[in-house]
Amino acid sequence: MIHAVVHGFYDQIRSDDLLGPIFNNAIADGDWPHHLAKMCDFWSSTLLRTGRYDGRPLPPHLAIPELGEHHFRRWLKLFRATVRSVCPPEVAALFMDRALRVSHSFRLAIAFNRKEDTMRIESILEASL
């Protein structure tokens, strides 16, 4: 199920008008299989505590100067559509809970890295997507 979510989600990302250019500029065509495998490991570790992922997902995101809340909102909308189409409702809810937490954590770290006021960063709620 994780494989189906990750691959389905990134298929949407790569063709998205807002997110596609960012991801396609950051990840070369030949590097996508490695990236997808790494993301499967990430979600396996995040949801199932398998320990398969040992990377650092934040630094590549810090290197994208234009990354903002609207990007994270789109990412979450596409992710929600994917998990709802692939997973039973209770599993989709678990995926979304973790995705919302990751999004907030990344947004806080990006703001801190940019020396912005992190107190202004509010969690994106699923109901607001």
Side-chain angles (χ1 to χ4, degrees), residues 70-128:
H70 60 293
H71 295 102
F72 283 96
R73 284 188 173 281
R74 179 73 63 86
W75 185 90
L76 288 164
K77 284 179 187 176
L78 294 174
F79 193 77
R80 181 177 63 184
T82 303
V83 298
R84 284 183 174 177
S85 71
V86 171
C87 307
E90 63 278 2
V91 177
L94 181 61
F95 264 109
M96 280 307 298
D97 176 68
R98 297 304 193 285
L100 290 162
R101 291 177 192 213
V102 168
S103 169
H104 187 64
S105 174
F106 276 32
R107 291 178 57 237
L108 285 170
I110 289 168
F112 180 80
N113 186 263
R114 294 176 181 169
K115 299 180 180 14
E116 297 172 357
D117 183 2
T118 57
M119 297 302 289
R120 294 178 186 239
I121 305 298
E122 295 183 20
S123 295
I124 298 172
L125 303 177
E126 186 174 0
S128 73

